[in-house]
Amino acid sequence: MRSGIVLMLGVWLAVSCQEIKDCTLETSTDYSIVRFYRADTTVRTVKEVAFGKIYIAGDPDNILSMNDTVVVTGLFLNPADTRVTYLFETDSIDYELTMEYKPHLRIYYDECDPVYSYKLDTAYSPNFDSVVMVNNVLDKVVSTNLEIYL
């Protein structure tokens, strides 16, 4: 009887210590979350911005957004490159934002497909008042990667 209990306890411990391999737990994203703020105030105030078009420089036909008022937007990255420049067209001025990043190919489990995770190295703009990197890791848990003041 005692050996049966010890055997069952041993089996239970062996099964409970097995690693759970869930491929849906991956939280990496292939886009940077950008929020817009007013630059002319001492208090961080959200700003709604109306853009005629948002697209990757050199590819004006691949429009991310058109005639839209935004407070926050996601800007996609290319896993085959390490830099992307977005253009934001308005009635009065066209803004440019460049993000430099490093893609990392990750394989979490043999049973799961490989995924890319990204880390932003830098973000800059010659037109926006300022660009602040809040979090360089692109992840579903993160609510903001870049704050843009204009």
Side-chain angles (χ1 to χ4, degrees):
M1 176 79 171
R2 189 181 247 185
S3 63
I5 292 174
V6 171
L7 179 64
M8 288 190 54
L9 182 61
V11 170
W12 177 78
L13 284 173
V15 171
S16 66
C17 290
Q18 293 296 317
E19 188 174 347
I20 298 171
K21 297 178 181 176
D22 186 356
C23 297
T24 63
L25 295 177
E26 171 56 37
T27 62
S28 294
T29 63
D30 59 349
Y31 55 89
S32 175
I33 300 171
V34 177
R35 293 187 186 276
F36 296 93
Y37 295 94
R38 295 179 57 94
D40 57 354
T41 180
T42 57
V43 179
R44 192 171 79 177
T45 307
V46 173
K47 182 173 184 174
E48 284 189 356
V49 187
F51 294 114
K53 276 200 274 187
I54 301 174
Y55 60 93
I56 295 176
D59 193 5
D61 296 329
N62 191 0
I63 299 169
L64 178 68
S65 180
M66 188 165 182
N67 296 324
D68 201 8
T69 302
V70 296
V71 172
V72 63
T73 189
L75 301 178
F76 290 94
L77 306 180
N78 180 358
D81 205 348
T82 59
R83 178 188 322 195
V84 64
T85 299
Y86 273 91
L87 297 177
F88 301 78
E89 291 184 0
T90 67
D91 291 339
S92 58
I93 187 172
D94 293 343
Y95 296 95
E96 183 179 302
L97 173 69
T98 301
M99 294 181 289
E100 295 178 0
Y101 54 93
K102 289 183 183 166
H104 301 279
L105 182 62
R106 299 196 180 217
I107 302 172
Y108 291 99
Y109 303 110
D110 294 338
E111 297 83 11
C112 301
D113 292 332
V115 294
Y116 278 97
S117 65
Y118 298 90
K119 285 191 178 178
L120 292 175
D121 284 334
T122 188
Y124 53 90
S125 172
N127 315 102
F128 289 119
D129 187 63
S130 61
V131 178
V132 178
M133 189 179 315
V134 178
N135 194 327
N136 70 336
V137 177
L138 278 59
D139 195 295
K140 293 176 187 172
V141 178
V142 175
S143 64
T144 305
N145 295 107
L146 298 175
E147 293 178 350
I148 295 179
Y149 294 84
L150 67 155

